[in-house]
Amino acid sequence: MKEVRIGRVSDIRNELNRYRKGRKFDIRQFNQVARLAWLGRVVMQPLDPDDKDCEAFLLYVEDPDPLAAHCLAPDEDLVGRMHIVDGQQALALIRILKLGMEERVRLYEELAHSDFYFRHFS
């Protein structure tokens, strides 16, 4: 856990402003989190819904299932943890999460209507 040293009121304000803005993932981390978001393995909420100036989001990245973990190989420091994410990246992750959900729904609908028997025995 990060230690915050309290020395001056201005230090506390600066630290609070850093949290309110959130942190940007680097490109590699963002892509890993985005892949897990597409799979629906993230949970997000605004960091402070009552503060209109706070654009950061609280993000929890769930462990992927074993097959996805084997194929995607996410960093251990990303999964199973909470992150305070920059608002711009958080909004992009929300769009990716929605896109992944829509594409998986289409896949499952197609699968539900697939006729494997006639495809293989006609």
Side-chain angles (χ1 to χ4, degrees):
M1 175 148 217
K2 183 178 178 183
E3 182 179 316
V4 178
R5 296 183 185 246
I6 300 174
R8 294 177 292 184
V9 174
S10 62
D11 293 340
I12 296 171
R13 285 188 186 127
N14 289 339
E15 194 66 28
L16 180 61
N17 283 334
R18 280 189 212 114
Y19 276 100
R20 291 175 69 215
K21 290 182 181 176
R23 171 178 94 79
K24 284 190 179 283
F25 289 118
D26 64 29
I27 293 171
R28 184 183 55 78
Q29 292 172 325
F30 181 83
N31 283 330
Q32 289 183 25
V33 173
R35 290 176 190 118
L36 294 170
W38 190 93
L39 291 171
R41 304 302 295 176
V42 300
V43 179
M44 301 176 68
Q45 75 173 40
L47 180 62
D48 187 356
D50 297 330
D51 184 358
K52 294 177 182 161
D53 295 329
C54 182
E55 296 177 356
F57 275 71
L58 193 58
L59 169 77
Y60 177 73
V61 182
E62 296 177 2
D63 289 314
D65 62 64
L67 179 61
H70 174 73
C71 294
L72 300 177
D75 291 347
E76 290 182 15
D77 62 336
L78 289 176
V79 296
R81 297 179 186 233
M82 301 286 283
H83 304 275
I84 299 174
V85 182
D86 165 75
Q88 184 182 19
Q89 286 190 345
L91 293 176
L93 289 170
I94 290 169
R95 288 190 300 271
I96 292 166
L97 178 65
K98 183 180 178 199
L99 176 67
M101 178 67 74
E102 291 168 351
E103 289 182 16
R104 287 192 317 277
V105 165
R106 277 194 299 275
L107 173 71
Y108 292 136
E109 286 174 346
E110 289 174 14
L111 183 61
H113 296 99
S114 291
D115 192 338
F116 290 101
Y117 184 85
F118 287 115
R119 188 180 314 161
H120 294 282
F121 297 104
S122 58

